[in-house]
Amino acid sequence: MSNFIFAVNKVVPIFILIALGFLIRAKNWLDPQFPKILNRLCFQWMLPCMMFRTGYTANIRETFSLPLIAAALGSYFVILVLLLLIIPRVVPSRQDAGAVIQGAFRPNIAMFGIPLAVSLFGDAGGAAMAVIVALLVPILNTISVLLIAHFSAGRDQKPSPMKLVRDIATNRLIIGTVAGVLFSFFGLSLPALAYTPISDLAGAAVPVAMLSLGGDFNFGTALSHLRYSALASALRLAVIPAAVMAAMAALGFRGVELGALFIANAAPAAATGYVIASNMNCSGELSGEIVVMTTLFSAFTVVAGITILLNLGLI
């Protein structure tokens, strides 16, 4: 029961922000364009700051654990390859396929992972999850941007390789991620005068993204996308965690490390995916609906998965 309460406590605040954004638009309390303005502000400034802070505070040299990182990175890579092979065959729209792949692939481990790992396993769990977050979140952030850039072209268009390279090289999210990782790896530090506003903007990224998502949310559109959002949610919350746990258990992972790998693969879709997709012309509405659906049901699926692993004596 305590695990369920913990999961609910992580989920409910997100839905309060989404509901507030929806209410602001429905009541016309602000300009009708406020969701798009917030979304753009988040994409241009808050998310790059958040990605910089994630890398900057990662302590990459101190938290490195080769077996755990290899297992987590390997599982993400296999998942990504399978999704790229399968999803475009069952989702005809290029943009919708990109949104489904990102929603199924990219978990919200930074916000959801470490607190849950500490709740379950104490400091040892937090340390194991910190390793995954420190080294993999910058990689996952970069992959998300690459994915959306690739799928943002029209259904019958082939993205230009040169345009793709240019978009990647000038993308603020990737620049922020790379800069943060380099600062961490080389032990560089920013003066408080510079770091404090970056950290403040980073802290506002997820709340602003949720307000924007709520302001943009449309029940009619959500119903028309239901089969795709349900597909991405089933993959993110059930199919992928089950497959990865079977593989990791077969490889001999147990206890805290297996628990950390479960959390890293069972977390709901990252909220930042909605902002990235909507600003890069890749089915932002569908991406937002996947965030909402996976966040809602994760309170139940994460607890169910933990219960199963405990009963099997694996964690």
Side-chain angles (χ1 to χ4, degrees):
M1 178 60 74
S2 61
N3 291 333
F4 177 72
I5 292 173
F6 177 89
V8 168
N9 286 337
K10 296 298 292 182
V11 166
V12 169
I14 294 174
F15 275 93
I16 290 174
L17 289 172
I18 293 172
L20 179 59
F22 184 85
L23 188 63
I24 289 171
R25 189 198 66 187
K27 296 292 187 180
N28 292 317
W29 288 341
L30 292 175
D31 188 288
Q33 292 299 309
F34 99 91
K36 291 179 172 52
I37 295 170
L38 281 183
N39 197 314
R40 196 67 182 167
L41 177 66
C42 188
F43 182 77
Q44 293 286 355
W45 294 103
M46 295 173 184
L47 279 186
C49 288
M50 188 182 82
M51 292 182 176
F52 174 84
R53 187 179 70 174
T54 299
Y56 183 79
T57 59
N59 294 324
I60 290 174
R61 289 178 179 270
E62 298 177 14
T63 59
F64 187 76
S65 170
L66 183 58
L68 188 60
I69 290 301
L73 188 58
S75 65
Y76 286 139
F77 177 76
V78 171
I79 289 163
L80 178 60
V81 170
L82 291 174
L83 290 171
L84 287 170
L85 290 173
I86 295 169
I87 297 302
R89 297 177 182 273
V90 297
V91 180
S93 164
R94 186 178 186 85
Q95 291 94 334
D96 288 350
V100 170
I101 292 170
Q102 181 185 234
F105 167 75
R106 176 70 169 93
N108 189 5
I109 56 175
M111 180 179 172
F112 200 86
I114 293 177
L116 180 56
V118 171
S119 173
L120 289 171
F121 306 110
D123 291 341
M129 201 66 220
V131 172
I132 294 173
V133 170
L135 289 169
L136 293 191
V137 166
I139 295 173
L140 296 179
N141 288 339
T142 303
I143 291 174
S144 287
V145 176
L146 296 177
L147 268 176
I148 295 303
H150 176 71
F151 282 97
S152 63
R155 177 178 174 182
D156 299 321
Q157 295 176 334
K158 293 288 185 182
S160 164
M162 288 305 298
K163 182 178 184 301
L164 192 59
V165 170
R166 186 171 62 252
D167 289 346
I168 291 166
T170 58
N171 188 282
R172 297 187 184 195
L173 306 182
I174 291 180
I175 292 170
T177 299
V178 172
V181 169
L182 290 176
F183 267 78
S184 174
F185 185 79
F186 290 107
L188 304 175
S189 60
L190 288 172
L193 186 67
Y195 179 70
T196 298
I198 291 175
S199 182
D200 289 344
L201 284 169
V206 171
V208 168
M210 293 299 94
L211 285 171
S212 173
L213 195 164
D216 251 351
F217 194 81
N218 184 301
F219 284 101
T221 306
L223 288 174
S224 69
H225 290 155
L226 185 58
R227 58 177 175 170
Y228 295 150
S229 56
L231 170 63
S233 299
L235 290 168
R236 168 93 306 276
L237 298 178
V239 177
I240 289 172
V244 171
M245 286 302 94
M248 294 300 111
L251 289 173
F253 284 93
R254 296 290 186 276
V256 172
E257 288 193 337
L258 185 65
L261 289 169
F262 170 74
I263 295 168
N265 283 279
T272 54
Y274 155 71
V275 179
I276 295 171
S278 55
N279 279 275
M280 294 179 68
N281 190 30
C282 193
S283 290
E285 289 180 335
L286 175 57
S287 292
E289 291 150 16
I290 292 169
V291 171
V292 171
M293 187 175 289
T294 56
T295 301
L296 174 62
F297 288 105
S298 65
F300 303 95
T301 57
V302 169
V303 173
I306 290 168
T307 302
I308 291 170
L309 292 173
L310 285 169
N311 289 337
L312 291 174
L314 296 174
I315 62 174

